[in-house]
Amino acid sequence: MMKSLKFQNFTAFDLLDISFSPGVNLLIGENGTGKTHVLKAVYAACDITKSKKGFAEKINDVFYPSGKQIGRLVKRAKTSSNGSLEISRAMPDGKVVSIKLSLTSHMLTPNKAKVTGATKIWLENPFESVFIPVKDMMANAPAFRSLYATRNIHFEEVYADIIDRAFLPALKGPTEHQRSKLLGILQAAMDGKVITKNEEFFLKNKQGELEFTLLAEGFRKLGLLWLLIQNGTLLSGSALFWDEPETNLNPRLMQTVVNILMQLQRLGVQIFVSTHDYVLLKEFDLATLEGDQIRYHSLYRDNNTSKILHKSCDTLADLDPNAIDATFGSIIDRQVSKDMGGLGK
Amino acid sequence: MIVVADGYRFNFKDAINVFKFDETDPASQTFHGAPMKAVDIIAELSDVYLFIEVKEYPASYDPDAITGEKACSEIDCQKRPKHSEWLKNTLKYKFRDSFLYRYAEDKTEKPVYYLCLLNFDNALNSVMQKNLRNELPVGKASARWVKTLAQSCQVLNLEAWNRNFPKWPAQKVSAE
């Protein structure tokens, strides 16, 4: 389970020190406040436990700086500068260990970067992790994997990774009750189940088989979640990273998605979600029961210094600043001004 | 002019008159005394009347208040309005009954602005405001109307209220 993340002069951040919930972590903030960077950094640290890739190389592949020059991940400064990211994790025995990646702005390749900390223990305890990016890749899966493997195409590695995870075959043996229940909820919502043929995904139901290219993007998202649960990627002890689940998702389906995510949290999956969406955020608030573990993280720019800061809290009501609510507040203010002129001013 | 209602204290600095409209004390000069629903406060300014209703939710939820009858069976309970419907209806009928009461007082010569102070976030208040404006209704609802019932309707939380109405600061009494 991932415990915390510390950035120093990394990407857009001067300093960030954030502690995670073992359950659900919701990141909100305006564009350019680094939500996706947090998700990617923690995901890279999780992924290497299975892929055994070098931490610096994985970070470089998921962030994909221009020319793959890893030094470009150091926060920009007029002179040469240093940056780092450090991630802590609670091991199954409760012991907390960390790994740290140190960079300088002039580094060109990952092999020049320094990785320190408990790297050996980190890799000795593998677990599954999955990153669902904003852009849907399920409809474009055919041939993408082979193209990505053989050609230098400009895609962050999270896109190749998610397709790999989706293509994993189903787990052996019967599906246990809890997973079966979650699959049932998703099947009811998207009216079918997902099958794979020649690297192409189809939604199968009584009417036949519908290729993903013809399927609404919202249903593709549910289909992806179905695959990840069905093939055992999302089991107890795994981690799910989902960048803006609301994209192309009908607000009415958000309750289903949040219900599934909260159930996964109860099964022991650690979840990281970034969002700009009020409905999604509110659905999490409404779905939270006693005993659930959820933390809201607000990333925002300081008005005076423009530095990115963060605040974390355990209830939506305490989230401040709340960029989503502030937007609605601004709409209300303009409506009052339009309707009431100067009254009360 | 200061008035306290439903746990909130308001100071209407530019008001000609402010009073607790749903006053239940028979000894008070502003005792309501009619079998009608009533908004919490009325403030008279030089050119307008403000009707103000305060609702803390869900503490104020009383689904039987609309019909005036107690639900005594499960079927009765199922027929009760949903929370959002109940709240919207409560705010709507309070306004309409108050307007009728003021008509009988011959106090509807100025446009009426309806301000609801709720403890929701801004998004939920936006939804409530949209529905309430349609149903009050705000403005002239028909080509035959030459007057309005409500000139405007705003649904705000305490933070938005104080941001938008610095001449009418409000605060929770318990927070003093």
Side-chain angles (χ1 to χ4, degrees):
Chain A
M1 188 269 292
M2 308 311 282
K3 289 280 286 182
S4 64
L5 167 72
K6 191 171 182 180
F7 283 151
Q8 278 184 299
N9 288 329
F10 189 79
T11 63
F13 296 91
D14 288 85
L15 178 66
L16 177 79
D17 195 347
I18 187 167
S19 296
F20 300 119
S21 161
V24 175
N25 292 276
L26 291 162
L27 287 101
I28 77 151
E30 293 177 11
N31 284 327
T33 52
K35 301 182 295 298
T36 304
H37 291 186
V38 171
L39 296 190
K40 281 182 170 178
V42 185
Y43 166 70
C46 295
D47 176 84
I48 59 170
T49 67
K50 288 285 275 194
S51 68
K52 308 301 181 196
K53 228 176 174 178
F55 188 35
E57 188 188 355
K58 187 69 192 179
I59 285 286
N60 207 32
D61 288 342
V62 299
F63 278 87
Y64 211 117
S66 180
K68 285 272 189 99
Q69 291 179 33
I70 195 166
R72 293 181 66 81
L73 295 177
V74 175
K75 189 171 190 292
R76 302 296 150 83
K78 284 177 183 164
T79 55
S80 175
S81 52
N82 302 320
S84 67
L85 74 89
E86 185 173 1
I87 299 186
S88 299
R89 168 187 173 197
M91 305 305 284
D93 62 3
K95 190 179 168 193
V96 177
V97 297
S98 304
I99 53 171
K100 182 174 180 179
L101 172 69
S102 302
L103 307 168
T104 59
S105 56
H106 57 75
M107 278 177 184
L108 297 178
T109 55
N111 60 348
K112 301 285 182 194
K114 200 165 123 190
V115 178
T116 52
T119 49
K120 190 166 177 287
I121 302 171
W122 196 277
L123 298 178
E124 280 171 356
N125 289 272
F127 63 98
E128 291 285 356
S129 58
V130 56
F131 188 108
I132 304 178
V134 177
K135 287 195 269 290
D136 167 65
M137 291 303 289
M138 304 303 291
N140 308 105
F144 180 84
R145 283 199 298 174
S146 52
L147 189 66
Y148 189 85
T150 56
R151 302 282 173 174
N152 193 11
I153 56 173
H154 201 93
F155 271 90
E156 299 113 288
E157 197 165 67
V158 290
Y159 289 99
D161 287 354
I162 186 61
I163 294 176
D164 285 346
R165 305 291 199 277
F167 273 118
L168 286 172
L171 281 182
K172 277 185 179 174
T175 308
E176 71 273 18
H177 174 68
Q178 284 297 338
R179 272 202 306 142
S180 189
K181 198 171 135 191
L182 296 184
L183 292 173
I185 294 169
L186 286 167
Q187 282 167 214
M190 62 185 179
D191 189 26
K193 54 176 73 173
V194 182
I195 59 162
T196 316
K197 282 184 181 176
N198 300 325
E199 291 208 339
E200 198 173 350
F201 294 107
F202 294 82
L203 181 75
K204 184 178 181 180
N205 59 21
K206 285 176 190 163
Q207 281 78 48
E209 295 170 359
L210 184 66
E211 50 272 51
F212 263 40
T213 46
L214 300 181
L215 191 65
E217 280 211 29
F219 287 136
R220 288 182 215 167
K221 295 201 161 192
L222 298 187
L224 175 59
L225 212 46
W226 187 92
L227 282 166
L228 296 170
I229 294 169
Q230 189 242 11
N231 68 22
T233 302
L234 295 175
L235 288 178
S236 179
S238 65
L240 168 65
F241 301 80
W242 199 343
D243 202 3
E244 299 178 18
E246 67 269 19
T247 309
N248 294 319
L249 196 66
N250 185 309
R252 270 196 282 183
L253 287 176
M254 285 188 196
Q255 188 181 357
T256 302
V257 168
V258 170
N259 181 16
I260 296 285
L261 295 182
M262 291 303 287
Q263 297 277 9
L264 287 172
Q265 171 258 157
R266 288 168 200 141
L267 293 176
V269 179
Q270 191 177 19
I271 291 169
F272 299 81
V273 168
S274 78
T275 184
H276 291 285
D277 191 83
Y278 173 79
V279 177
L280 190 86
L281 206 58
K282 192 68 191 172
E283 289 289 2
F284 271 107
D285 181 42
L286 294 172
T288 304
L289 304 175
E290 204 173 327
D292 285 335
Q293 303 196 81
I294 188 164
R295 191 168 296 159
Y296 300 84
H297 308 277
S298 173
L299 295 167
Y300 61 99
R301 283 190 188 274
D302 182 85
N303 285 336
N304 298 320
T305 64
S306 285
K307 287 182 179 175
I308 299 172
L309 306 175
H310 101 281
K311 283 184 188 168
S312 300
C313 58
D314 293 334
T315 63
L316 180 56
D318 291 333
L319 187 65
D320 181 34
N322 180 339
I324 298 170
D325 194 56
T327 304
F328 283 98
S330 163
I331 291 170
I332 283 182
D333 293 351
R334 283 177 279 141
Q335 183 76 57
V336 170
S337 188
K338 184 179 178 186
D339 290 358
M340 300 196 60
L343 281 174
K345 296 280 185 198
Chain B
M1 301 182 90
I2 291 170
V3 63
V4 176
D6 269 18
Y8 285 83
R9 188 173 74 169
F10 297 84
N11 184 1
F12 291 91
K13 295 176 182 174
D14 57 348
I16 297 165
N17 187 24
V18 177
F19 61 101
K20 199 168 172 292
F21 183 64
D22 61 350
E23 180 61 65
T24 53
D25 179 4
S28 168
Q29 279 190 336
T30 54
F31 173 54
H32 185 276
M36 304 167 83
K37 298 189 182 307
V39 296
D40 292 315
I41 297 166
I42 287 182
E44 182 180 2
L45 310 183
S46 57
D47 298 319
V48 305
Y49 289 114
L50 303 176
F51 285 15
I52 293 131
E53 177 62 21
V54 178
K55 272 275 171 281
E56 290 258 344
Y57 206 78
S60 60
Y61 179 56
D62 179 7
D64 298 322
I66 299 271
T67 59
E69 295 170 6
K70 281 277 171 209
C72 50
S73 70
E74 199 173 318
I75 293 171
D76 284 345
C77 287
Q78 286 169 3
K79 285 181 186 168
R80 285 170 160 179
K82 288 179 183 167
H83 284 242
S84 59
E85 190 71 13
W86 172 83
L87 182 58
K88 181 197 65 192
N89 286 340
T90 299
L91 297 172
K92 176 171 73 178
Y93 295 125
K94 281 194 172 211
F95 174 84
R96 289 189 189 165
D97 271 12
S98 300
F99 191 92
L100 285 174
Y101 190 107
R102 294 291 280 171
Y103 171 79
E105 284 188 292
D106 199 17
K107 294 283 188 185
T108 53
E109 78 286 3
K110 299 177 187 177
V112 178
Y113 286 66
Y114 189 26
L115 307 177
C116 300
L117 178 61
L118 305 188
N119 58 337
F120 288 157
D121 60 30
N122 289 311
L124 291 181
N125 279 342
S126 294
V127 175
M128 182 57 68
Q129 175 167 298
K130 174 181 165 284
N131 294 334
L132 193 56
R133 287 164 76 98
N134 286 339
E135 294 191 23
L136 280 176
V138 167
K140 291 173 189 167
S142 159
R144 292 165 53 188
W145 286 26
V146 292
K147 291 181 180 176
T148 60
L149 297 177
Q151 181 71 23
S152 170
C153 167
Q154 309 297 334
V155 181
L156 309 107
N157 56 32
L158 185 62
E159 196 180 314
W161 176 289
N162 283 321
R163 195 169 59 237
N164 283 285
F165 304 136
K167 271 190 190 165
W168 312 328
Q171 65 184 123
K172 282 192 94 161
V173 174
S174 55
E176 283 182 66

